Amino acid sequence: MKTELSVFVLVVVLFLAIDTADFADSPKSCEPGFWGTPCKKCECGDKASACDFNTGKCYCNTKGLIGEKCDQCDEKKRYKGDAIKDTCYHMFDEGINYNFRLTGPANTNITKINFKFAPENKEENIHLKVSCIDHCNEFTLKLTGKEVGRPTKLIVDNKKMKDKEVYEKILLSKDFKFGIENDKPMTEFFIYLTNFKTPIIFEINAVIESKSKEKIAMTMSES
């Protein structure tokens, strides 16, 4: 009887010796946007709404942003820009049909993707087309144009897109200075797709207007 009582007392003493904060500050108790023991706020700014509970690595919300704090562009996949001061853009070329497959675990937290292209022909209008082709849900589209030496021009301001709705726009060479001079584009167009949920698959292309009714010969899939 005395032995059993001694064991009981020992168990009670050990339990009381455990700091209850070890349970309260467990990573499992952290709210979204916090991590670690004790809980600390994720250092991601507006580039992520959550981070890894164990490491604090940000779950970037924009496709093409990488790094512990979403502070780099994934240049291996053609995303370029200033990840710290601005954002990253996927650089795409005229005359190619691009499918962006934002599916799978790696894209779970993605809600934004940005694109940039520069017309090379000085006199040809460009037919731009953007749409969702699978796993579609609502998203927002914004389009701007930036000509060298001029302020950015807003072309489409946060247009709400639904299901497989297709956005088409003829970009006129008389409204912007197209072409390349001294190895630099005279005008660049920026496309922002936001507020969507993954999985989702987007299709985007920009072709010379005179060839817009022809079948695009090349399709590239990006993920």
Side-chain angles (χ1 to χ4, degrees), residues 29 33 36 48 109 129 138 158 179 182:
S29 70
N109 297 284
K129 184 184 292 186
E138 291 188 8
N158 295 327
N182 299 319

Side-chain angles (χ1 to χ4, degrees), residues 2-58:
K2 182 181 289 189
T3 301
E4 293 177 354
L5 181 60
S6 299
V7 172
F8 175 77
V9 171
L10 179 61
V11 171
V12 171
V13 170
L14 290 174
F15 178 79
L16 293 175
I18 297 175
D19 188 349
T20 55
D22 291 340
F23 293 100
D25 290 328
S26 166
K28 292 183 179 180
S29 70
C30 292
E31 296 180 358
F34 293 81
W35 72 284
T37 305
C39 296
K40 300 179 287 289
K41 186 175 178 60
C42 298
E43 298 179 5
C44 308
D46 61 355
K47 300 182 186 302
S49 58
C51 61
D52 186 279
F53 280 122
N54 296 312
T55 66
K57 185 180 186 302
C58 299

Side-chain angles (χ1 to χ4, degrees), residues 173-191:
S173 58
K174 69 180 183 64
D175 294 335
F176 296 91
K177 186 176 182 180
F178 290 174
I180 307 295
E181 293 184 9
N182 299 319
D183 294 324
K184 294 183 179 181
M186 291 295 95
T187 295
E188 293 179 310
F189 291 97
F190 302 84
I191 304 161

Side-chain angles (χ1 to χ4, degrees), residues 135-152:
H135 301 293
C136 299
N137 55 77
E138 291 188 8
F139 64 96
T140 303
L141 181 149
K142 180 179 178 180
L143 171 64
T144 65
K146 178 68 173 70
E147 184 178 330
V148 172
R150 293 188 176 185
T152 298

Side-chain angles (χ1 to χ4, degrees), residues 14-209:
L14 290 174
F15 178 79
L16 293 175
I18 297 175
D19 188 349
T20 55
D22 291 340
F23 293 100
D25 290 328
S26 166
K28 292 183 179 180
S29 70
C30 292
E31 296 180 358
F34 293 81
W35 72 284
T37 305
C39 296
K40 300 179 287 289
K41 186 175 178 60
C42 298
E43 298 179 5
C44 308
D46 61 355
K47 300 182 186 302
S49 58
C51 61
D52 186 279
F53 280 122
N54 296 312
T55 66
K57 185 180 186 302
C58 299
Y59 295 139
C60 307
N61 57 25
T62 302
K63 187 66 176 178
L65 283 178
I66 58 174
E68 294 293 316
K69 296 183 179 180
C70 306
D71 53 0
Q72 303 171 46
C73 292
D74 192 352
E75 296 193 1
K76 291 182 179 179
K77 294 187 176 181
R78 299 195 70 187
Y79 289 90
K80 296 183 178 181
D82 188 332
I84 297 176
K85 295 181 180 180
D86 184 25
T87 189
C88 302
Y89 301 88
H90 187 281
M91 316 295 291
F92 73 95
D93 301 316
E94 295 176 24
I96 299 177
N97 197 53
Y98 291 88
N99 288 344
F100 288 85
R101 308 177 66 85
L102 304 183
T103 59
N107 294 297
T108 299
N109 297 284
I110 299 299
T111 61
K112 307 174 187 178
I113 185 169
N114 310 309
F115 307 95
K116 180 167 70 171
F117 77 99
E120 297 183 2
N121 193 303
K122 291 184 178 182
E123 299 179 356
E124 293 278 3
N125 298 331
I126 295 295
H127 183 184
L128 173 68
K129 184 184 292 186
V130 181
S131 66
C132 170
I133 60 174
D134 203 1
H135 301 293
C136 299
N137 55 77
E138 291 188 8
F139 64 96
T140 303
L141 181 149
K142 180 179 178 180
L143 171 64
T144 65
K146 178 68 173 70
E147 184 178 330
V148 172
R150 293 188 176 185
T152 298
K153 182 178 180 179
L154 179 63
I155 302 171
V156 178
D157 187 15
N158 295 327
K159 176 179 173 57
K160 301 294 184 182
M161 303 285 289
K162 296 182 179 180
D163 300 323
K164 293 185 178 181
E165 180 181 355
V166 178
Y167 173 78
E168 295 185 75
K169 177 71 175 179
I170 303 299
L171 302 169
L172 302 175
S173 58
K174 69 180 183 64
D175 294 335
F176 296 91
K177 186 176 182 180
F178 290 174
I180 307 295
E181 293 184 9
N182 299 319
D183 294 324
K184 294 183 179 181
M186 291 295 95
T187 295
E188 293 179 310
F189 291 97
F190 302 84
I191 304 161
Y192 306 85
L193 305 183
T194 61
N195 300 321
F196 56 79
K197 296 179 180 179
T198 56
I200 191 169
I201 301 177
F202 291 111
E203 184 173 84
I204 184 169
N205 59 66
V207 298
I208 294 175
E209 184 185 17

